[in-house]
Amino acid sequence: MKIHVEAAEDQALVAKFLEADQGHLFDDWETLDSLQKRRLLDDLNRIDLGFLQQLIRDHLGSDPDHPPIATPAPPPMIELGDPARSLATQEGLSALSKGEIGVLLLAGGVGTRLGHAGPKGSYPLLPISGMTLFQFFAESLLRRQKEVGAAIPWWIMTSPSNHEDTVSYFQEHDYHGLSSADVTILPQEELPVIDPRRGRILRKGPGQILFSPDGHGGAIRLIQRHAEDFRKRGIRHVYTHQVDNPLSPIGDPELVGLHLHQGSQFSSKAVSKTDPDEKVGVFCQMGEHLRIIEYSELGDEERHRRDSDGELSFRAGNVAMHVIDLDFILGDSTGSSPALPMPFHMAQKQVRHWLDNEWHEEEQPNSLRFETFIFDVLPLAKHAIVVEAARENEFAPVKNREGSDSPETSRQALQRLWANWLEEAGHSVERDSEGLPSRTIEISPRIIGDAQQLAKHLSNMELPAEGPILIQ
Ligand code: UTP
């Protein structure tokens, strides 16, 4: 195959891919215009071919990821109501006020199940104002900054496919009142998707490489790539949250405080599973280390096992809120320990792609992608903790368009929570048999983050006698 390119570095690039048995990427070369040719070469240039070939060699023909061999045990968990928690919250607030804690939002997912046009964070969730997830987080962060009297830097991890839209969103909305100097939007890395039989790089159309993001573990890789940024701002620990859970308490002073108090390297919130078949990963103790085991990897017996009080033994469900010690993942600042490596997993997915001059749209998974998981670093921690969170206060994910974990269930969870706060603040709330208030409630996260703050705010204002209740 002869591909004509002028520049010496382009010639070398093309030769490298031809030698690596990836010549099919140039099948449509003659039909591409000069801009498309340039784009293809730029995409090829982004691929670390040696690294990709190593991943392909390691994974093709190997079994899918094995369940861990050791026997899991339920992990120790700091339970709700533990007296250590409120003391720790003070410690967390103090670390936040000293500027030692950064916040990282994971917003690089594709959000296929929700099917919203645009980044998932631009989904209008709130029932009265139509406030988006991004605005909800930004305003919650403004409130937290006010509580601690200091700026709290926020990193937002996008992926190349939603990066520009996310940047424009924040510019157009003036960062929802945050200082732009405190918001850093960075894309995670992408890797090419490959064909499962021969390891050929797939294309999403003639001359266009099919890439996919490197998974939520990309957050660790992103911190490692931008370590200087984090260090320069004086950050020592990072709180991570996901774009699909509006209830994650941003910068969570309680989790931060427990993490610091216990000298933990990786701390996580967990909600108690009540249904053995709920499809969330669970925290397990494996020998000396903690680990998250996928729902499907836990045996039937363990999944259904119950403690003497009737609670599920393996109930600590992962809700992806963590506090991570930077020295742990970066290697310490003296350089005496190296940055943690992130293992790659292989996922099979069905995707429409262009190969051998035709579209492929099989019903079966027809592609392999490589991804990393943020919790893969957990078993490497010398000390890690799991802290129980009340599901109704901290977890209301927006994953699916309809049904469970959808915008509707997330809004309902917010309604129930805000109704609880109103009741705690001394107001009666009429509810239906499912606990949903009869009047729509919305409370601005910019000013109120819990029942005490609401009670204080309401001491200066009257609630409307009827209709929706908007407190802002
Ligand atoms: P999900 O596993 O729910 O994936 O991500 P998703 O891409 O958002 O949605 P589906 O599966 O296509 O419907 C959980 C969290 O991890 C982030 C997501 O943005 C979300 O906050 N994530 C996931 C990343 O930041 N990068 C990734 O590569 C994957």
Side-chain angles (χ1 to χ4, degrees):
M1 181 180 289
K2 194 97 192 89
I3 303 298
H4 182 73
V5 283
E6 295 287 337
E9 61 268 29
D10 289 339
Q11 288 169 5
L13 184 69
V14 171
K16 192 166 75 170
F17 278 84
L18 290 177
E19 266 165 41
D21 204 16
Q22 301 285 354
H24 64 288
L25 296 175
F26 304 102
D27 281 355
D28 308 289
W29 185 256
E30 294 309 328
T31 67
L32 304 180
D33 64 27
S34 55
L35 212 72
Q36 291 167 324
K37 285 180 176 159
R38 185 69 259 158
R39 203 172 305 138
L40 175 59
L41 293 170
D42 289 347
D43 274 353
L44 294 178
N45 216 4
R46 290 206 281 139
I47 300 173
D48 181 342
L49 192 57
F51 180 66
L52 180 70
Q53 285 175 312
Q54 187 60 46
L55 280 180
I56 295 174
R57 273 197 297 278
D58 290 351
H59 286 83
L60 270 195
S62 72
D63 290 341
D65 298 324
H66 296 288
I69 304 146
T71 315
M77 177 155 70
I78 301 173
E79 300 201 335
L80 295 170
D82 187 315
R85 296 174 74 130
S86 53
L87 263 176
T89 303
Q90 290 314 312
E91 198 169 335
L93 288 168
S94 148
L96 283 156
S97 71
K98 285 191 230 144
E100 293 174 354
I101 312 298
V103 173
L104 172 61
L105 173 67
L106 274 59
V110 192
T112 331
R113 287 170 287 172
L114 183 64
H116 168 63
K120 205 185 226 186
S122 66
Y123 186 87
L125 184 72
L126 290 210
I128 302 178
S129 64
M131 185 184 290
T132 63
L133 284 158
F134 279 148
Q135 183 173 1
F136 194 87
F137 295 126
E139 295 205 358
S140 303
L141 187 59
L142 271 173
R143 188 195 70 248
R144 188 72 81 207
Q145 296 191 345
K146 214 162 149 218
E147 282 165 15
V148 303
I152 301 171
W154 193 27
W155 280 266
I156 299 175
M157 181 174 86
T158 58
S159 57
S161 64
N162 66 19
H163 181 71
E164 273 166 29
D165 286 346
T166 306
V167 171
S168 317
Y169 173 94
F170 276 94
Q171 285 170 346
E172 277 160 25
H173 293 87
D174 223 357
Y175 296 84
H176 289 302
L178 289 165
S179 159
S180 59
D182 296 329
V183 183
T184 310
I185 308 175
L186 295 170
Q188 67 183 109
E189 285 196 337
E190 290 185 317
L191 292 166
V193 177
I194 61 164
D195 114 61
R197 275 162 308 164
R198 290 180 42 199
R200 284 180 299 180
I201 295 172
L202 296 183
R203 284 164 299 159
K204 60 182 177 188
Q208 293 175 295
I209 308 285
L210 179 60
F211 285 101
S212 83
D214 59 353
H216 45 64
I220 304 281
R221 289 162 44 86
L222 180 138
I223 297 173
Q224 291 173 333
R225 273 197 309 284
H226 298 275
E228 269 303 294
D229 274 12
F230 285 82
R231 297 266 199 224
K232 257 203 295 213
R233 296 229 25 166
I235 302 300
R236 303 187 54 200
H237 306 270
V238 176
Y239 169 83
T240 66
H241 62 131
Q242 296 198 155
V243 73
D244 50 33
N245 181 19
L247 284 187
S248 47
I250 203 155
D252 196 346
E254 184 184 55
L255 186 62
V256 168
L258 289 164
H259 169 88
L260 294 173
H261 194 74
Q262 302 231 358
S264 166
Q265 292 177 312
F266 192 100
S267 305
S268 310
K269 278 271 175 85
V271 298
S272 280
K273 277 176 69 166
T274 49
D275 171 2
D277 293 322
E278 186 187 0
K279 292 191 172 65
V280 292
V282 289
F283 289 90
C284 294
Q285 181 82 41
M286 308 282 283
E288 296 194 342
H289 298 279
L290 287 177
R291 180 186 283 277
I292 290 174
I293 298 199
E294 284 303 332
Y295 154 89
S296 52
E297 293 173 347
L298 202 62
D300 251 7
E301 189 280 318
E302 281 108 353
R303 213 162 49 227
H304 291 270
R305 192 189 305 167
R306 291 192 184 265
D307 294 345
S308 54
D309 59 5
E311 287 207 83
L312 289 171
S313 306
F314 289 91
R315 63 178 173 280
N318 174 33
V319 282
M321 295 178 245
H322 310 289
V323 177
I324 308 170
D325 181 339
L326 274 195
D327 281 348
F328 165 55
I329 54 170
L330 294 180
D332 65 25
S333 32
T334 63
S336 62
S337 60
L340 286 189
M342 293 297 291
F344 275 81
H345 302 259
M346 200 168 62
Q348 304 215 18
K349 294 216 177 161
Q350 182 223 350
V351 77
R352 176 177 150 91
H353 68 93
W354 177 252
L355 188 66
D356 299 332
N357 266 321
E358 56 181 356
W359 290 106
H360 291 251
E361 272 184 285
E362 292 87 349
E363 300 272 299
Q364 304 302 324
N366 56 0
S367 70
L368 290 180
R369 54 191 65 202
F370 296 105
E371 54 191 14
T372 54
F373 301 148
I374 191 166
F375 48 73
D376 269 337
V377 297
L378 174 59
L380 306 175
K382 288 201 192 82
H383 184 44
I385 57 170
V386 181
V387 179
E388 187 177 10
R391 184 186 290 262
E392 65 277 17
N393 294 347
E394 301 196 10
F395 190 51
V398 179
K399 298 268 186 205
N400 305 309
R401 187 183 275 268
E402 287 172 347
S404 62
D405 296 343
S406 63
E408 193 189 348
T409 57
S410 182
R411 272 185 210 117
Q412 288 173 342
L414 288 165
Q415 291 298 293
R416 287 195 191 92
L417 178 65
W418 287 331
N420 293 348
W421 290 357
L422 276 171
E423 284 171 348
E424 281 180 53
H427 294 264
S428 62
V429 178
E430 193 184 280
R431 306 195 193 219
D432 69 11
S433 58
E434 311 216 308
L436 284 172
S438 56
R439 295 167 68 188
T440 308
I441 309 170
E442 183 175 319
I443 297 180
S444 163
R446 193 166 39 82
I447 46 172
I448 292 155
D450 59 32
Q452 290 75 34
Q453 289 174 348
L454 177 64
K456 202 159 155 225
H457 187 79
L458 288 182
S459 61
N460 307 319
M461 78 169 266
E462 283 286 303
L463 286 182
E466 53 188 34
I469 302 173
L470 177 62
I471 301 171
Q472 59 181 0

